[in-house]
Each structure stands twice: as structure tokens, then as C-alpha cells.
Amino acid sequence: MTTTTGRTPQPSQDALAAIEQPLSKAALPRWAPWGVLAAAVVVALAVLLPGGTSVAAVAVLAGLLHLLLIGVVSRVKEGGRKAADRLVTALVTMAFLIAMVPLVSVVWTVVSRGAARFDATFFTYSMQGIVGEGGGGLHAIWGTVIVTLLATVISVPIGLMTAVYLVEYGGKSALSRAITFLVDVMTGIPSIVAGLFVVALFALLVGPRPRIALMGAIALSVLMIPVVVRSTEEMLKLVPNDLREAAYALGVPKWRTIVKVVLRTSLSGIATGVTLAVARVAGETAPLLLTVGLATRTNFDPLVGQIATLPVFAYYQYTQPGVPAQAGVDRAWTAALVLIILVMALNLVARLISRYFSPKGGR
Amino acid sequence: MAKLIDVSDLNIYYGSFLAVEDVSMTIEPRAVTALIGPSGCGKSTFLRSLNRMHEVIPDARVEGKVVMDGQDLYDKDVDPVSVRQHIGMVFQRPNPFPTMSIYDNVAAGVRLNAKRMRKKDMDDLVESSLRGANLWNEVKDRLDKPGMGLSGGQQQRLCIARAIAIRPSVLLMDEPCSALDPISTLAVEDLIAELKNEYTIVIVTHNMQQAARVSDQTGFFNLAAIGKPGRLIELDSTSTIFSNPSQKATEDYISGRFG
Amino acid sequence: MSTPTRAPERDPGRGSIATGAKRPGDGIFRGTATAAGTLILLTLAAVAAFLMWQSLPAFTTDDEIPRGSLTAYIGPLLFGTVLAAVIALVVATPVAVGIGLFISHFAPRRAAQGLGYLVDLLAAVPSIVYGIWGAVVLSQAMLPIYGWLADNLGFIPLFAGPASASGRTIFTAGLVLAVMVLPIITALARDIFLQTPRLHEEAALALGATRWEMIRYAVLPYARSGVVSAAMLGLGRALGETMAVALVLSVSNVVTFNLISNTNPGTIAANIALQFPEAAGVETNVLIASGLALFVITFLVNFAARWIVARSGVKA
Ligand SMILES: Nc1ncnc2c1ncn2[C@@H]1O[C@H](COP(=O)(O)OP(=O)(O)OP(=O)(O)O)[C@@H](O)[C@H]1O
Ligand SMILES: [Mg+2]
């Protein structure tokens, strides 16, 4: 409220008319967007069918028509502001649907093409002595399990303790700020660079070009550690300070408080984060291509000899399928399918952990 | 065994900020000492410096002496963790461990320190502590249920049981009833009256009636001005403080005539 | 030591307060935690150091470097890397912002979380799978579009054509990268949109704004810098992505803005993946030098993204 003396500026009649809003305006019925969509699809079909067409073309045309129609109809019936609102609603919904296209396409492609060799042989045979048809990916499955497990064994203690340092000990010290910054940097390291690093490291340690599972595991750890640190850090920060103080007040030393109260309380969150981190690196190809190579038989020794992993196996089966080519390509698709199943299962497990194992009855 | 605490010339800092200045007082054994005063005058800070919880906060430090049993708690080679095993603490908000059952919460002080104890002894300890906290009858049938599942008042008594399960000599309570309803408050007050037979109790409260009801002696803290450190204005028997205080500020505060 | 272990029936009195006793546990644990943190510092220093050390021979060698000189080798790759990533970003960012808004403000409340998971699933597909999918499915699906673009928009240099017959162009590679960074940008954008202070939103609605007006005046201004940095993080990811590009692109190492022909620039990461397994001698060092260049670029991009976030104070 202005209480100045003299003339108070008055809004013009036009402005007042624009502000004035009747309580109920002409509005399109609730089903209007669906009706318009149906009309758009019908028109698109009518236009495209005569010349022979694809689902994609109809969808694209129908989408564009829908945008156009809903905009025009709403503008006429409801006015410009409401029309803009409807247009944006349609646009963002389409953005979501667009994102579903590759997802559905990828899953459909991999499942349908991977099904051919998704058989008992694939899960019981390696490629030892196999030329042409037959053979399987058992050695690659074992390889992926071994390399990923090793990477987890390396990353989790380091990542966990780093997060503990940052949250419980570091405070605002220079070291803790440097670590926080570098963990961010590390999150962005391209996976192929992590592979190159390990190659360069082992070139120094044991001479040129060894390829062993341990190298792959170290490369994956470089990618995994920052993810573990970040997610664990978030979880530790969520533990209320009350609980730490409750433990201290019982005469519990700090380290026991951290292990038995702080880490225990955030366990399910940490497990979720670690599982997601595992899922992230289990599908990595590039660093493994450089560091572990490929083998045709199962290799259980992480320190000696090349080892097959699912992604690298899929890569070589696809790019160098041999004769007949179809056999190799089929194996590649099945390896891809197994890999997708593995990664999605890990994601699912992560969600389940966080749903069912987090402490109950929070405040 | 309840013990006497002798505080002399205590200055308490957060970093360079002097929060509480120059406190000297004697806390009597087998008695309840209440600390009252306006918000921000340093009651909690003072209380937490009695069992060296203060220094858990980064950069927080203390000058002066707190002597219990002839031992200065701030002596260089005193282990703060051990101090806290002798001086228990109950917080303003009930804070049971969310991952633990009722039983485990009471056993926490023993378990978290990895002390071995026979099952039978542990059962006895849990039962006697819960009885001591007047909670046994309410929870004896669901000891394996989560401690977070109790009502706020029950949770607070669980925290008291947890604190007395390590058999401290002194019990510090920082506004233990402020999150509780009147009936739970009464339960805790009754409990305090019983506990003082065995423990030295120091309680911070904003509730004047509560201080009058439960305490034997009362200390009044005040700030000279905003931004100045808090000080102990006077300490006397509760009846004297409430009927005939020697300081004007105390009288003003108690009678509600407080700026 | 105190004896809290004593059975309750006994006298609750105990020994006196421990003095002089050191607690090794605390020191050891703290030391371990500090060591773990320091190890990360060392690792990152090691990554930089080893890459430099191993790429040094590429600068000093007298041997033949592939394609003449280091700049002539890395230059076109660098161009291709940036080009593919930019295509990915141009395609992915608007879609990601749309999805973010859809999930945060438009989708029915109860469905929103589930729809969010669906988008997250895109991030769960391994890059090798995207690579093969891009090479086999997407490139085929793009053929008619490339043909149409070359015929009708050929006057624009980007679509000069002639249209690739395999569909394995830098544009296809960029699209695959767009799909891969989409969930990353979406997740960040969605979180930022959800953080818009409720108060601002309600203030806008209380003034009679439509949902779109509320988003335009309350949500977007608040989220702008967060979205920019989300896009930059996506860019960092797209720059370093390897297998998808390696499998999709048919490379001829040229510098061209023609997006739909079958002569395409390669990218650093894909080039390393393709060449390294068979490389020998100084070629190895040249490849590592290109990896170093990639490391530096992604570092700068990520650094800029974090800096924007830190400056704007939005928690991403
Ligand atoms: N962690 C901390 N860091 C810095 N200063 C603090 C901290 N905790 C308390 N203070 C300051 O110390 C002074 C005393 O605070 P304290 O919490 O002891 O007051 P109080 O008497 O318990 O108040 P209340 O009755 O509101 O609980 C206040 O000025 C407060 O701002
Ligand atoms: Mg207080």
C-alpha cells in the first residue's frame, strides 16, 4: 500500500480488463487432449497409408498434428495463455515418450536377437576349441564376475574409508577439500583414460603389455571409487548427529561409534550405492579392452594371462565374428543380453535394498 | 555411587567465542541440581563440558577445572571417553539407536564397547536398567522390537535406561522433558526423584515449576548482554532461589519480569 | 578402567577415571581413513603423471608418427570428439529438460517416480550394447532420414551429403551419445526442478498463473544454472564415451561438418579403443598422448560444470 499524497497512478481501462478474470471461463473438456490425439492419429494414417508407411512415420506426423491442433483449438476456445499451457504439456509429455523409444528399441532388439543363443550351451561352454557355431560365454561370465568382484574388493574399502574421513574427520581441512574436489574430477575421467592409466602403470611395474584381470579390476576401481565415495558420503551425512552424541555420551570411543552406529545406521544406503556402482562398472568395455584382453577359455587366475569378459567378448564376437558370421553375431547379442540382465538385476537389487533394509520408524 | 563435582573458574569456548565465563560451583552428590536461565546463556554448553562432550564439537575447548573424586577431568592425561563412562547424559530429544531393538538399546553402552558379558548378566542388567527408568512394565513383552517404535516419552525413558545401564556416578540431563507431554513429563520427574538416591543429577530446564519440583539446589545462568558470555549468577538451595534469591536478576527471571 | 560390565546387583561403585591410557583404536582408524583419502589424491596424481610420462616419447621420437605429426594426428580426432559430443548435447538437452519438467511438474504425482525409474533404466544399458544397437538398428533407421535431408536440405553444409549408404555417420554416433547422456542430464535436471522453493511456485499460482507460466517465471529462472551445469556434465560424459562411437562410426579421419556422409572424423576415445590392442612402438605413445588430451578436456568441462554449480549455490 502506498500512502503518498497527491495523485496515485491509475491503471488504464485496458490493463484492468486484462487483469479481470471471470471465475469460470470457456474451457475444453477433460478428454479434449485425448480426442485431439485420436484425431491426429486418424489424419496421419489417412495421409500416409496410401503411399505405404511405417509406425515411426505415423507417430511423428501424429505428434506434430497433435501439437498443432491442440494449440489452435485451445487458442480459439480458451485464449492464448491456456493454449501455451496445453502446448507445453503436450511437448514435455512427448519428450518423455521420445526417451522411451530408444529404451524400448534397445531392449526389444537385444532380447529378440539375443534369444537365439540364450540356451544351455551358452551358459555351460566356453569358446575353447570352437570354430564357427556352438560354443558359449561361460568363460566371459566368469571373467566379468571375477574382474567386477576384484574391483569391488578394491574400491569399497577405499571409497568407504574416504567417505568416513570426509564426513567424520576431515571437517573443513585443506586435505578434505582437496579430496572432495578430486573425487569430483575423478567422476568425470573417461573410462578409456582409466584403462590407459593402468596400462601405463603396469608398463612401469612389469614391462610392456601384460594383460591380466587385476589390471582390469584396477581400471574399474578408478571409475568405481568416486561413485562409492559420493554415495557413501551422502548417506553418512544423513545420520543425525544425535546418534553420534548418544554413543559418545555412553563412553564409546569415536572409531567404535563410527563403525557400530554411523556405518551401521547407514548400511542399507551404502549397500545401495555400492550395488549401483558395481552395476555401473560391470558393463564397462573400453578399459577392459585395453587391460584384460580376451581368452577363449575360463581363466580363474587374476594375476596370469588374459581373461574374457562379457562386454569385450560381445565386442569381438560382433566385430570379428568368424565363419559363419551369424554364429559369432548371435553370440554377441546373447552376451549383450546377459550383460543387460546382469546390470538391470543389480539395479533392481539396489532398489530393493534401499526399500526393505533401511532403518524403520524414522522421525 | 554418587559423586561430588567441583567446578572452578571454568571458561568455555567455541573457537574464539567465549560462550560461558568463569563458572565456579559445587554439585552435591545424591541430589538434583537444576540449571535455569534464558535461552542462549550457556546452560547446555556448561552441562556438556561436565562430561567432556563439549569437545566433540570442532574447535570447542575449555579452560579451568572440573574435579570429581579428586581427579581433574580436564587433566592432560585423562581419557575423555572414560569420563563419559562415569558421567552419563540424557539429551533434549530422545535419540534411541534406530537400528537397535529396545533390548539392544539398553545394552548399547556395554555392547558398543565390545565388553563381553554372559547372557544372564546382560538380561539382568537390561531388566534392572529398564526398571530403574520405570519402563520395564511397559516394554517387557516387546524387548526385541525397535526402540524407535516407542512413544516419545517412552523413548526418553529408554534413553535414561540406556544411560544408567553403564552405571555412571553422575547423570546429566539437558531439558529431558521439553519434547514430552505432561504425563510423560510426570513419569520422568518421578524417575528423577528416585534416581537421586543413587546418582548425582544435573538437569537443565526451562520449566520453573519443574525445577522447583525436582531439584534440591538451583543455579541461575544469565547473559550480561547479547554477545557477552553467559555466567553463573547464583547457586543456592532451590527453596532459597525461588523464595528469597540474593540477586535482583534471579528474582526478575523467576517472577517472569525479564527483559 | 571402569567396569560397566559388572552385574547390576553388585555395588555400582567402580574404579576411578582412567588416566594416561591411550586408545590405539581411534588412532588406527583415523589413520586408515586419512590414508584412504590420501590414496585418492595419489591415484589422480598418478593418472596424470603416468599419462604424461608415457606420452612423452610421442613428442621426442625420431620415428615415424602416424599421419606425420602429433597435431596432424590428434587434431581431426579432437574435432570429431567435440563434434559428436556437441550433437549429443544439442539433441539431449531439450529432451532432458522436457522430461525433467514432465516428471517434476506434469506427470501425475503417483506415477512420477515410476516414470523416473524408466528413464534411469536408460543409464543401466551398458555402452557396448548401445554401440551394437546403434550400428545395427539406429543407423538403418536413419537411412531414409539422411536420404531426405541430402535431397531437400543439401544446401546446408551440415547435410551436404551424399547420404551415407550404411547410416554409420557422425550424426548417428551423436544420437547414440545423446541417448546415453539423456538419463544423466534428466536426473540432474529433475532434481533441480524439484528443488524450486515451493513458496515461489505457490506465489506464482496464487497470482493466477497457468502451470506453464508458473514454470517460466518461478521454476526456470531458479533452475537455469543447474541445468547448464547438468548439460556440461553430460558433455563431459559424451566426450569420453568410447564403445558406442567405436562401433557406430565408419571413420576416415577427415575434418568436415558434413554430418550424414560416409566420410567422418573419428573420436579420440574410439580411436584408442580401435587402435590400441594392435598398436606397437611409438604408436602406443601417440595414442596415450591423445588420451592425455581427452583427459585434460573432460577435466576442464567437468571443472566448469562444478564451478557453475558452486557459484549458483544450487545443490545438484
Ligand atoms: N556448536 C556451537 N558452535 C558455536 N557456538 C555455539 C554452539 N552451540 C552453542 N553456541 C553458542 O553458545 C552460546 C550458549 O549456547 P547454549 O546452547 O549453551 O545455550 P542454552 O542456555 O542451552 O540455550 P537454550 O536454553 O536455548 O538451550 C550461545 O550464544 C550459542 O549461540
Ligand atoms: Mg540448551
Side-chain angles (χ1 to χ4, degrees), chain B residues 39-40 42-45 92 174-175 204 206:
Chain B
S39 204
K43 307 178 295 292
S44 302
T45 304
Q92 180 169 358
D174 192 352
E175 302 183 45
V204 170
H206 275 292

Side-chain angles (χ1 to χ4, degrees), chain A residues 203-287:
Chain A
L204 176 73
L205 294 181
V206 292
R209 285 303 177 78
R211 287 186 191 172
I212 54 175
L214 180 66
M215 289 171 66
I218 295 176
L220 294 188
S221 299
V222 172
L223 303 172
M224 194 172 163
I225 287 173
V227 184
V228 175
V229 173
R230 269 288 157 275
S231 63
T232 306
E233 200 186 348
E234 293 302 318
M235 289 303 134
L236 295 186
K237 280 183 187 160
L238 286 181
V239 176
N241 220 12
D242 289 13
L243 296 184
R244 296 185 180 86
E245 299 213 324
Y248 296 148
L250 291 173
V252 180
K254 181 161 181 169
W255 77 275
R256 277 184 183 284
T257 302
I258 294 171
V259 174
K260 301 218 167 166
V261 175
V262 180
L263 289 179
R264 176 68 194 79
T265 306
S266 49
L267 190 62
S268 78
I270 294 173
T272 304
V274 168
T275 316
L276 287 175
V278 173
R280 162 141 150 58
V281 299
E284 277 295 347
T285 318

Side-chain angles (χ1 to χ4, degrees), chain A residues 101-185:
Chain A
V101 172
L103 181 64
V104 171
S105 171
V106 165
V107 170
W108 169 249
T109 312
V110 174
V111 169
S112 60
R113 302 201 187 202
R117 283 301 321 276
F118 200 77
D119 51 23
T121 316
F122 189 87
F123 292 96
T124 44
Y125 280 80
S126 70
M127 288 299 288
Q128 192 165 14
I130 303 287
V131 183
E133 289 173 4
L138 182 64
H139 60 313
I141 296 175
W142 272 119
T144 287
V145 170
I146 291 168
V147 174
T148 313
L149 265 185
L150 257 178
T152 310
V153 168
I154 298 171
S155 312
V156 170
I158 296 177
L160 200 72
M161 289 309 281
T162 302
V164 165
Y165 174 78
L166 290 177
V167 177
E168 306 289 337
Y169 291 107
K172 294 199 180 77
S173 70
L175 179 62
S176 131
R177 269 179 296 143
I179 293 173
T180 304
F181 173 73
L182 290 180
V183 166
D184 278 346
V185 171

Side-chain angles (χ1 to χ4, degrees), chain B residues 77 79 82 85 115 117 167, chain C residues 2 5 14 18-20 23:
Chain B
D77 49 57
D79 175 9
S82 160
Q85 288 169 353
K115 299 269 160 58
M117 189 186 266
R167 310 274 130 184
Chain C
S2 69
T5 53
R14 76 229 60 251
T19 56
R23 289 179 180 278

Side-chain angles (χ1 to χ4, degrees), chain B residues 13-15 17-20 37-48 54 57-58 60 92 174-175 204-206 221 223 227-228 230:
Chain B
Y13 295 84
Y14 291 101
F17 171 61
L18 177 58
V20 176
S39 204
C41 65
K43 307 178 295 292
S44 302
T45 304
F46 173 72
L47 195 73
R48 289 165 59 91
H54 179 65
I57 295 163
Q92 180 169 358
D174 192 352
E175 302 183 45
V204 170
T205 177
H206 275 292
F221 280 76
L223 289 165
K228 289 268 171 58

